[in-house]
Amino acid sequence: MVFGRGTRLLAGAMTVVCMVLVGPSAPGGAAFGRSLPVVAVRDVVPNRVMTWNICNPCEASNVDRAAEIAAYAPQVIGLQEACVRDVERIRDYLERLHGLVYHVEYGMVLQDWGRCGGVPWSPGAFGQAVLSAAPMTDRVHVEYPDGGSEDRGYMAVTTMVGGQRVRVFNTHLAQRRQEAVRADQTAVLAAAVVRHDRAIVLGDFNAVPDAPELTRMWALAADTDARCRPPSAGTCKPTTDWQSKFDYVFLRGMAPLEHRVQPSPYSDHHLLHTDVDST
């Protein structure tokens, strides 16, 4: 009887110790019904949009990626080279750790076990994603007829930016040294963008501003940096670690207010965000 009671007391004490040591840092952010404390941040900036190629595979932490996004709290985020599992985790961390709640839509072009995990018969999906603080409607997902060395495409949604309904496109064009393929891809994209008086086109175009394959985009929209367009493209800030501008926020029927290019240790592309005048 004494031995049994002592054993029970010891087990109870060890349980309490484990609760104290493990509880607050338990995986998944919940410890016996309690969530991790939310780090206070300002509300999303309602007229701010961001594009970011998050680099895959780059072995970056999704906690860190979420923190990079939360620092600017955009209304709309376009991600490229994204795995569904990574986007789900980023979205979860944005809510649990930073108090930022986003809806999500996907435009996946590959089932890629090597990049996105899973199992050979059920690999993870790879492509683009759009996160928006406001609900999204009318999602369209188009794979380009010729992706080049890897399948590529664009997605589009309708959502709110600066209190106005806007058509938002997110794309990733073919890799470098595939100029002709990118020209055909921008033709497909431009044909969709031109149907909207108010549109934002986000993405990694894998081309510098004065590349011929971007001619159709320049005819339809302006870059968020008003000084960055042919023939004065030399003033453009680079958006990659190799000092090239490949990432764009094209605006159609909207005017830029200010923009920022922010290098990140978690990708070989920089974060590019802009505030827009949507009135």
Side-chain angles (χ1 to χ4, degrees), residues 78-97:
L79 300 177
Q80 303 90 40
E81 291 196 20
C83 295
V84 167
R85 290 181 180 89
D86 288 330
V87 175
E88 288 173 342
R89 293 185 182 106
I90 290 169
R91 182 186 177 207
D92 185 47
Y93 290 135
L94 283 166
E95 180 174 356
R96 291 195 293 111
L97 302 183

Side-chain angles (χ1 to χ4, degrees), residues 109 128 141-144 151-155 170-173:
V109 294
Q128 287 78 246
H141 171 218
V142 175
E143 289 194 37
Y144 294 124
D151 291 350
R152 295 292 164 92
Y154 77 82
M155 61 178 296
N170 183 21
T171 192
H172 188 190
L173 300 190

Side-chain angles (χ1 to χ4, degrees), residues 249-265:
V249 176
F250 283 111
L251 303 175
R252 177 174 170 83
M254 310 174 75
L257 295 176
E258 60 178 335
H259 74 283
R260 181 173 181 179
V261 177
Q262 180 61 45
S264 169

Side-chain angles (χ1 to χ4, degrees), residues 47-277:
N47 65 330
R48 178 169 294 168
V49 296
M50 172 186 287
T51 184
W52 192 19
N53 181 321
I54 60 175
C55 184
N56 192 301
C58 272
E59 311 252 335
S61 163
N62 289 314
V63 171
D64 294 329
R65 286 167 167 164
E68 293 278 85
I69 293 169
Y72 305 103
Q75 171 81 4
V76 172
I77 308 151
L79 300 177
Q80 303 90 40
E81 291 196 20
C83 295
V84 167
R85 290 181 180 89
D86 288 330
V87 175
E88 288 173 342
R89 293 185 182 106
I90 290 169
R91 182 186 177 207
D92 185 47
Y93 290 135
L94 283 166
E95 180 174 356
R96 291 195 293 111
L97 302 183
H98 304 283
L100 299 172
V101 179
Y102 288 98
H103 304 267
V104 64
E105 293 287 354
Y106 296 99
M108 296 299 161
V109 294
L110 289 173
Q111 299 296 315
D112 197 314
W113 180 36
R115 280 183 164 178
C116 295
V119 291
W121 55 90
S122 182
F126 174 82
Q128 287 78 246
V130 172
L131 285 74
S132 174
M136 292 174 278
T137 60
D138 304 318
R139 183 191 74 96
V140 170
H141 171 218
V142 175
E143 289 194 37
Y144 294 124
D146 182 0
S149 57
E150 181 178 80
D151 291 350
R152 295 292 164 92
Y154 77 82
M155 61 178 296
V157 298
T158 299
T159 189
M160 303 295 290
V161 176
Q164 301 289 331
R165 289 176 62 82
V166 180
R167 192 65 172 166
V168 176
F169 294 81
N170 183 21
T171 192
H172 188 190
L173 300 190
Q175 296 170 347
R176 288 176 288 180
R177 296 183 294 278
Q178 299 181 82
E179 293 84 355
V181 174
R182 288 196 299 273
D184 290 342
Q185 292 172 347
T186 54
V188 173
L189 177 62
V193 174
V194 74
R195 295 197 291 266
H196 302 274
D197 295 331
R198 189 191 302 269
I200 300 174
V201 187
L202 310 170
D204 174 5
F205 284 73
N206 269 316
V208 295
D210 57 359
E213 58 264 36
L214 294 189
T215 301
R216 286 185 174 88
M217 289 308 305
W218 289 119
L220 294 176
D223 186 68
T224 181
D225 184 350
R227 301 170 301 172
C228 181
R229 66 173 301 137
S232 60
T235 62
C236 302
K237 291 184 178 179
T239 64
T240 64
D241 287 353
W242 51 93
Q243 298 301 303
S244 294
K245 178 176 171 64
F246 278 4
D247 304 271
Y248 297 83
V249 176
F250 283 111
L251 303 175
R252 177 174 170 83
M254 310 174 75
L257 295 176
E258 60 178 335
H259 74 283
R260 181 173 181 179
V261 177
Q262 180 61 45
S264 169
Y266 309 113
S267 175
D268 54 1
H269 285 252
H270 308 339
L271 292 85
L272 169 60
H273 69 78
T274 185
D275 297 349
V276 301
D277 182 358

